[in-house]
Amino acid sequence: MIRNHFTIAFRSLRKRPFYTIINILGLAIGMACTLLISVYVLQELSYDRFHQKADQIYRLATRLEMGESGFVGAAVSPAVAGTLKDEVPQVEMVVRINQADKIFQKDDIIIKEQKVLAADPDFFRLFSFPLKEGNPNQVLQEPNAVVMTEAMARKYFQEENPLGQSILIDDKPFQVTGIMEPVPETSHIHFDIVYSYLSDPRSKTENWGNLITATYFSLYEDARIEEVDARLDPLLKKYVVEYEMFQARGYVIEMFTQPLTDIHLYSHILGEFEPNGNVKYLYIFGAIALFILLIASTNFMNLSTARSADRAKEIGIRKTMGSMRTTLVHQFLGESVLLSLLSVLLALGLAELLRIPFSHIAGKDIHVPLFTAWFLPAALLLGIVVGILAGSYPAFYLTSFKPAEVMRGHRLGSSKNTWLRNSLVVFQFVISIGLIICTLVVYEQLQFIRNKDLGFNKENIIVLNAGDALGTNTDAFHNALLNQSEVLSMSFSDVSPLTGYPEYIFTPQTENDSIYREEDALVLSSLPASHDYLSTMGIRLKDGRNFSREVASDSAYGVVILNEQAVKALGLSTPLGSRLKIGDMYEAQVVGVAEDFHYKSLHSAVEPLVIILSDEQSFVEVKVASDNLPQTLAMLEQQWKQHADGTPFDYSFLDDDFDQLFQADQRVGIIFGGFTLLAIIIACLGLLALAAFMAEQRTKEIGIRKVLGASVKNIVLLLSQDFTRLVAIAFIVAIPLAYWAMQQWLADFAYRTEIKLGIFVLAGVVALLIAGMTVSFQSIKAALANPVDSLRNE
């Protein structure tokens, strides 16, 4: 029986090769997209789950709120770790981690490495980062111990055995105690080198207000995280000197825990080791995958129901010969599943072909796990499920015909058949048009971001890292660059533009009695920078003056410039001349007010910022002419080598750094565009086949009309108008759905474009043109056919 079903199925598929190819190709593209997106989603959900203790590991974070200001950060004081281990019995291990760029030197090799961690001795016990050589219990026990990947070891030691050998890290000797495997892709921390945190003087910090270290801990197997959470506030009350004062003034200071496996998708706070994913995008991509699969399945149902007339006599004869309806249902479901499984095989090949471009777009290496124990069975199960679901209605619909009426030539259920077919076409184009609208809105928002006035000039600014390496040569480097015609201006700062800004407590002096009241203190972002920072960056002053070398009071930490939001937050009615206390250390006078500028992502509104005149110089900003950038970079590198005492030349362009802030959004735009194109292709494949079939069904009608004088134009319009009407209905339905979806996405941006009417018009025109060209191809072909051929047998 099964063999007979397969034989009939193959004959049926072979009888109509055009429709069979369309169905298989459409399903295959849809399944390939679904498989790729599913693998991507599963990879995102698997972050940090490779650790043996993944479900027992948590990270501490801090929330501080002082009136209208505050922050949430993934860091606590280094002093917290020891106390947590000693006073919270549920805690098994605690590990502190810091990340920083370091200069590594081995003989003549001097390289600035960026993927470097400092970690406590239990790092390789808490986390399951695999070691190729070395004991995880011992590799970081000594203060001068360092572990690196095999690639790093080859870079510095070539073919020598690195174990036991010495290497300089910021001019301090460290001994290689272990070699580790590359960090898995699905880790929220990526690094090539880790050295002992015990060598860092900051590890001895006792002040609980010094929030500089990421701290992870694991629970004993029988412990519950709620028990740890309940002990955090008492610890703060015990060890934070200002805790009672904070509470009395209604301020909030608290530590909270984050499950390790939630960090990648759900944590977007200050101090993350690297940009995390976003669970919202997983929902978006999952919906796209489902929509594309639905479009492909709809094609199958549409063509199957359209071809019902072709198979009606076959069903009538088989029923007359004694076939049971259940047997026929099994037959048609078998055909559907067979076609779906053939599509799966093609989809696996397409998924592998699309994997590389998709990995490039997603920004991570996506692997299609063809030979894993679960993937092939899952792919086959997908084929079977899609085959059954897509073929269920045609199977039950076709087998419901009464043989006597079919044999008399009655076209049964044609109106119902047509209604369903039209509904499926509308459904396909609702999805396709909706995706077109979403793609256009995402593109408009990305263009809006790129073209928005940021309040500073990001073009032709080169940022040099490790400016503090200049040391006593700072003035000589400064003067040497300003003597170059390519350099327009330059400045120094303690933070790289557009990256994390240090938070300090700022207390304004009261205007009447000139005293500092602690209840007026606010936590604000700060920017320590040199005299020429504002002019180099193109930041405009609204009031007051810039920092000046000619004014004696303009010394480090002596004067500040506020942005407009900081003036509002501090409540300064006459900001110029006002004085601020910075923490408990310095007093500074306000000499200017800068116009608000976007020093963070446009996802958030402009926040208060205090620009502090400082002699810190971790970074150098160089404004250059755009005439010959390669020559300018060569000049900068030459000057750097002369003045930076062997520190590697490391730079970036500020406009590139700005684009990095929206990398995830740019990827969403590209993915939307790519999968929208595939969805349209699949929908058009189905429309092409359906138009061909409908033209074939109306061959004699077309012949008669042509004999009676109808022109080719009349015939094309006749065959196209039904499909055009369906696309127009789909357009009307898609507008509110796409508008709502894009409003939800745009809500993540503090500054966003308006969804203009032109976007909907353009989407509708594009959809109509695509559908019109698809249908017209078959319509023109039918209209140009010789009517004699179609009427020969009448």
Side-chain angles (χ1 to χ4, degrees):
M1 178 66 72
I2 295 177
R3 181 180 178 183
N4 182 56
H5 284 343
F6 272 105
T7 301
I8 296 174
F10 273 114
R11 286 175 180 171
S12 176
L13 296 177
R14 194 171 55 193
K15 182 180 178 182
R16 294 276 190 173
F18 175 74
Y19 303 111
T20 300
I21 291 172
I22 290 291
N23 259 337
I24 291 177
L25 185 59
L27 273 178
I29 295 174
M31 287 180 175
C33 295
T34 302
L35 290 174
L36 275 177
I37 294 178
S38 298
V39 169
Y40 171 76
V41 169
L42 289 174
Q43 184 169 316
E44 289 288 289
L45 293 173
S46 69
Y47 261 70
D48 295 307
R49 296 190 180 276
F50 63 89
H51 298 292
Q52 292 180 3
K53 297 177 179 288
D55 294 330
Q56 300 167 246
I57 300 175
Y58 295 82
R59 182 176 72 181
L60 285 174
T62 303
R63 178 181 290 107
L64 180 62
E65 296 178 6
M66 300 176 67
E68 298 295 322
S69 69
F71 72 94
V72 182
V76 297
S77 167
V80 173
T83 304
L84 194 71
K85 182 70 172 67
D86 295 338
E87 300 189 22
V88 182
Q90 293 82 9
V91 173
E92 178 189 24
M93 287 182 284
V94 185
V95 169
R96 298 168 297 177
I97 302 174
N98 270 357
Q99 185 181 45
D101 299 348
K102 295 292 179 180
I103 304 296
F104 281 72
Q105 181 175 358
K106 175 64 177 173
D107 300 328
D108 295 333
I109 304 173
I110 304 175
I111 300 174
K112 182 179 181 181
E113 300 288 356
Q114 296 180 325
K115 294 185 177 181
V116 182
L117 298 183
D120 276 330
D122 285 334
F123 179 78
F124 286 101
R125 292 181 59 215
L126 180 70
F127 299 106
S128 301
F129 296 113
L131 288 172
K132 293 190 72 173
E133 297 184 56
N135 187 330
N137 298 326
Q138 299 176 355
V139 288
L140 293 178
Q141 289 296 327
E142 298 300 324
N144 67 333
V146 62
V147 178
M148 58 182 61
T149 62
E150 194 171 25
M152 286 291 110
R154 282 197 302 270
K155 181 193 291 189
Y156 291 100
F157 299 98
Q158 283 77 48
E159 300 303 321
E160 298 179 47
N161 182 2
L163 291 181
Q165 294 211 47
S166 180
I167 189 170
L168 294 179
I169 305 177
D170 284 353
D171 294 327
K172 297 177 182 177
F174 281 76
Q175 186 180 41
V176 179
T177 56
I179 302 298
M180 65 182 189
E181 300 279 0
V183 175
E185 176 75 29
T186 55
S187 171
H188 81 284
I189 312 173
H190 289 91
F191 57 96
D192 296 322
I193 300 171
V194 55
Y195 66 92
S196 176
Y197 188 49
L198 300 177
S199 65
D200 192 328
R202 294 178 298 177
S203 67
K204 309 298 190 297
T205 299
E206 296 181 0
N207 181 3
W208 277 53
N210 197 2
L211 310 178
I212 58 173
T213 301
T215 301
Y216 296 77
F217 66 91
S218 64
L219 301 179
Y220 287 106
E221 290 188 4
D222 57 347
R224 295 184 302 112
I225 190 60
E226 291 80 10
E227 297 172 320
V228 177
D229 291 335
R231 291 177 175 268
L232 295 181
D233 278 345
L235 287 179
L236 288 174
K237 185 176 182 179
K238 181 178 179 180
Y239 290 101
V240 175
V241 177
E242 302 89 352
Y243 187 83
E244 297 293 343
M245 179 269 289
F246 269 65
Q247 276 205 325
R249 292 175 181 163
Y251 298 160
V252 175
I253 177 172
E254 66 177 10
M255 287 192 299
F256 60 95
T257 58
Q258 297 177 293
L260 176 68
T261 52
D262 285 355
I263 290 175
H264 177 65
L265 289 178
Y266 297 95
S267 180
H268 304 92
I269 58 180
L270 293 174
E272 299 289 355
F273 284 107
E274 55 191 62
N276 285 329
N278 191 327
V279 70
K280 181 181 290 187
Y281 289 147
L282 296 192
Y283 294 135
I284 292 173
F285 297 154
I288 290 174
L290 178 62
F291 288 154
I292 290 177
L293 190 61
L294 286 174
I295 289 175
S297 301
T298 299
N299 278 347
F300 180 84
M301 293 180 66
N302 233 344
L303 290 176
S304 296
T305 52
R307 292 177 55 202
S308 59
D310 277 5
R311 306 199 66 177
K313 290 186 178 180
E314 172 195 341
I315 295 165
I317 293 172
R318 293 182 65 180
K319 279 190 171 184
T320 303
M321 300 298 293
S323 290
M324 301 292 293
R325 187 184 181 191
T326 54
T327 304
L328 295 174
V329 169
H330 292 159
Q331 169 66 48
F332 289 113
L333 285 178
E335 289 182 18
S336 176
V337 170
L338 176 62
L339 188 147
S340 184
L341 290 176
L342 291 173
S343 300
V344 167
L345 295 178
L346 181 57
L348 293 175
L350 288 175
E352 186 60 29
L353 286 175
L354 294 172
R355 180 184 64 82
I356 294 177
F358 184 71
S359 296
H360 178 72
I361 294 170
K364 56 188 63 183
D365 195 10
I366 307 296
H367 294 282
V368 180
L370 288 174
F371 302 106
T372 55
W374 65 270
F375 184 77
L376 283 178
L380 292 175
L381 180 61
L382 173 67
I384 293 171
V385 170
V386 169
I388 291 174
L389 292 178
S392 57
Y393 180 82
F396 288 101
Y397 172 74
L398 292 174
T399 57
S400 65
F401 293 169
K402 295 179 181 179
E405 294 180 346
V406 169
M407 298 304 289
R408 283 199 296 267
H410 290 186
R411 298 184 63 188
L412 302 177
S414 59
S415 60
K416 183 179 180 182
N417 190 349
T418 302
W419 178 86
L420 174 67
R421 196 164 60 241
N422 292 343
S423 300
L424 293 176
V425 171
V426 170
F427 175 74
Q428 281 184 313
F429 275 90
V430 165
I431 296 174
S432 299
I433 294 171
L435 288 175
I436 293 173
I437 293 172
C438 292
T439 300
L440 293 174
V441 172
V442 171
Y443 176 78
E444 281 285 314
Q445 175 63 14
L446 294 177
Q447 290 298 109
F448 176 81
I449 290 170
R450 290 192 184 99
N451 298 325
K452 189 179 189 308
D453 180 12
L454 302 174
F456 69 94
N457 183 8
K458 68 180 188 297
E459 305 300 328
N460 299 320
I461 292 181
I462 300 172
V463 181
L464 307 182
N465 297 322
D468 45 10
L470 294 167
T472 57
N473 294 328
T474 299
D475 289 339
F477 180 73
H478 179 267
N479 294 332
L481 288 193
L482 290 182
N483 285 331
Q484 304 294 325
S485 60
E486 305 98 314
V487 176
L488 304 179
S489 64
M490 64 178 294
S491 62
F492 298 88
S493 66
D494 193 38
V495 294
S496 177
L498 304 174
T499 60
Y501 291 76
E503 307 268 354
Y504 290 113
I505 297 177
F506 293 90
T507 309
Q509 196 175 68
T510 57
E511 296 184 359
N512 296 327
D513 45 15
S514 299
I515 62 173
Y516 295 104
R517 298 188 304 181
E518 292 182 348
E519 57 265 33
D520 294 332
L522 293 175
V523 176
L524 303 178
S525 296
S526 66
L527 170 57
S530 68
H531 293 84
D532 302 312
Y533 188 83
L534 269 68
S535 57
T536 299
M537 299 293 292
I539 298 170
R540 300 181 290 270
L541 276 173
K542 182 180 180 181
D543 199 6
R545 64 174 176 84
N546 200 346
F547 301 135
S548 173
R549 291 184 175 86
E550 283 70 39
V551 180
S553 63
D554 282 15
S555 58
Y557 301 104
V559 292
V560 298
I561 293 174
L562 309 179
N563 73 348
E564 296 173 83
Q565 292 302 316
V567 172
K568 293 177 183 178
L570 293 166
L572 301 176
S573 58
T574 54
L576 296 183
S578 298
R579 301 192 70 81
L580 301 176
K581 185 168 66 173
I582 306 173
D584 292 324
M585 302 176 290
Y586 309 101
E587 286 189 11
Q589 186 178 39
V590 179
V591 298
V593 177
E595 293 184 8
D596 285 339
F597 62 96
H598 295 276
Y599 62 95
K600 293 183 179 180
S601 163
L602 292 181
H603 281 280
S604 58
V606 175
E607 297 176 0
L609 179 69
V610 181
I611 305 171
I612 306 172
L613 179 60
S614 167
D615 53 12
E616 303 286 349
Q617 53 187 52
S618 298
F619 297 90
V620 185
E621 298 83 27
V622 185
K623 176 74 173 178
V624 299
S626 59
D627 298 339
N628 193 334
L629 288 178
Q631 179 180 321
T632 302
L633 284 172
M635 178 274 296
L636 288 175
E637 184 172 11
Q638 180 186 4
Q639 293 294 335
W640 181 266
K641 288 179 178 179
Q642 290 180 13
H643 296 91
D645 194 27
T647 301
F649 180 66
D650 186 16
Y651 72 93
S652 64
F653 286 95
L654 186 57
D655 52 356
D656 291 338
D657 295 338
F658 180 77
D659 288 341
Q660 290 293 317
L661 295 177
F662 301 95
Q663 196 172 66
D665 302 303
Q666 291 167 352
R667 287 171 181 161
V668 170
I670 296 172
I671 290 173
F672 255 121
F675 285 114
T676 296
L677 178 61
L678 289 174
I680 292 171
I681 290 173
I682 296 170
C684 287
L685 283 174
L687 198 60
L688 178 67
L690 191 59
F693 185 82
M694 298 308 296
E696 183 181 314
Q697 292 295 101
R698 302 177 71 173
T699 299
K700 292 182 173 59
E701 176 191 345
I702 294 169
I704 294 171
R705 287 179 179 273
K706 291 192 72 174
V707 169
L708 295 176
S711 66
V712 171
K713 178 182 177 181
N714 297 140
I715 300 297
V716 171
L717 290 175
L718 174 70
L719 296 176
S720 302
Q721 63 184 5
D722 290 340
F723 292 107
T724 303
R725 189 182 302 115
L726 296 178
V727 174
I729 294 171
F731 172 66
I732 294 171
V733 176
I735 286 177
L737 297 176
Y739 180 82
W740 175 84
M742 284 296 94
Q743 286 285 27
Q744 302 304 306
W745 182 72
L746 288 172
D748 281 346
F749 294 86
Y751 305 92
R752 51 185 179 267
T753 185
E754 296 293 329
I755 303 179
K756 304 180 183 69
L757 178 63
I759 289 176
F760 299 104
V761 174
L762 179 59
V765 170
V766 169
L768 283 171
L769 284 176
I770 292 173
M773 288 190 300
T774 303
V775 174
S776 295
F777 175 78
Q778 291 296 338
S779 301
I780 293 172
K781 182 180 176 181
L784 292 175
N786 190 339
V788 175
D789 296 332
S790 59
L791 299 175
R792 190 187 303 276
N793 298 322
E794 291 300 312

